[in-house]
Amino acid sequence: MAQRDELSIFVRDALTAGKSRPEIAAALAHAGWRSAEVQDALNGWDEMPFSPPVPRPVATVSARDFFTYALTFCVLILGAFNLVVVLQALVDLVFATGDGDSDRPIRWGVAVLIVTAPLYLWLTLRERQKLARDPAHYRSAIRKWMIYIGLLLAALTLLGDAIATIYALLTGDLTLQFIVKALVVLVVAGGIFGFYVRDLREEAPA
């Protein structure tokens, strides 16, 4: 039996025996358990006075969730990257700085978007319907990990965009064309970041 399971069972038995949470925490600390481990074990049981103690819901992990959410975010990243490529190539065309093959990335990017955009929308709509039918899916650990990985990538992209813009300003290379291309990255990455931050705020309590 894993130590985490043993700790959870001990806390359950102690609560059943009428021990208070501070007493349990003190006993576990004296035995050498770290405070974070003790708090996690106590948080696994509801504070409502009831015997036996009522367990709180825990995060779920499944291979199906990994496939679904990993596919969704890979499609999102691929589509977002190519959307930026297409928009920046269009900016180059507007400012007449593109070469003879400037429409090649546009054609490729549009081809990627034709595939990824409807696939991402379908996967997202499917997820929303599943969450609406059973809010317990909000507790999926894979879902939360993928969302936070997406937020991390979006935040790093925004950080890199800001650094590149400041560097261009300091070196005298900050042109209107550069600003527009930087805004493209800001809008796309910022939109993804804002969408998933709002998604986390609106989700049912885990």
Side-chain angles (χ1 to χ4, degrees):
M1 182 182 296
Q3 282 191 331
R4 181 180 294 271
D5 294 334
E6 292 178 350
L7 181 58
S8 179
I9 292 173
F10 171 82
V11 171
R12 181 198 63 189
D13 292 344
L15 290 171
T16 302
K19 301 297 183 181
S20 68
R21 290 174 178 260
E23 288 176 328
I24 297 172
L28 290 172
H30 185 269
W33 291 93
R34 294 185 296 110
S35 59
E37 294 173 321
V38 174
Q39 194 59 48
D40 285 344
L42 289 171
N43 288 340
W45 304 94
D46 192 77
E47 297 184 12
M48 180 183 68
F50 189 85
S51 184
V54 180
R56 287 196 172 110
V58 296
T60 59
V61 178
S62 71
R64 178 179 295 181
D65 281 350
F66 175 78
F67 172 79
T68 300
Y69 291 116
L71 177 62
T72 300
F73 282 97
C74 285
V75 169
L76 172 63
I77 292 170
L78 181 61
F81 175 80
N82 281 275
L83 177 60
V84 171
V85 169
V86 169
L87 293 177
Q88 290 190 341
L90 291 174
V91 171
D92 288 337
L93 288 178
V94 169
F95 286 88
T97 60
D99 54 26
D101 293 331
S102 60
D103 61 339
R104 181 174 299 176
I106 296 178
R107 290 197 300 267
W108 174 258
V110 169
V112 173
L113 289 173
I114 289 175
V115 175
T116 57
L119 179 57
Y120 175 76
L121 291 175
W122 177 76
L123 289 170
T124 302
L125 178 61
R126 182 173 174 270
E127 180 210 14
R128 292 294 186 270
Q129 292 174 341
K130 182 177 70 173
L131 293 172
R133 289 194 303 268
D134 185 4
H137 289 294
Y138 278 109
R139 293 195 295 272
S140 170
I142 298 297
R143 175 179 180 273
K144 290 187 177 181
W145 269 100
M146 288 298 172
I147 287 179
Y148 279 109
I149 290 174
L151 288 174
L152 175 62
L153 293 176
L156 291 176
T157 302
L158 291 171
L159 180 62
D161 190 45
I163 292 173
T165 302
I166 294 173
Y167 178 79
L169 175 63
L170 295 176
T171 58
D173 296 329
L174 190 63
T175 63
L176 178 60
Q177 181 181 359
F178 185 95
I179 293 174
V180 174
K181 294 175 77 170
L183 285 175
V184 166
V185 177
L186 174 64
V187 170
V188 174
I192 293 172
F193 189 89
F195 176 79
Y196 284 107
V197 166
R198 186 182 64 178
D199 196 43
L200 287 174
R201 289 175 177 173
E202 292 179 351
E203 73 177 31

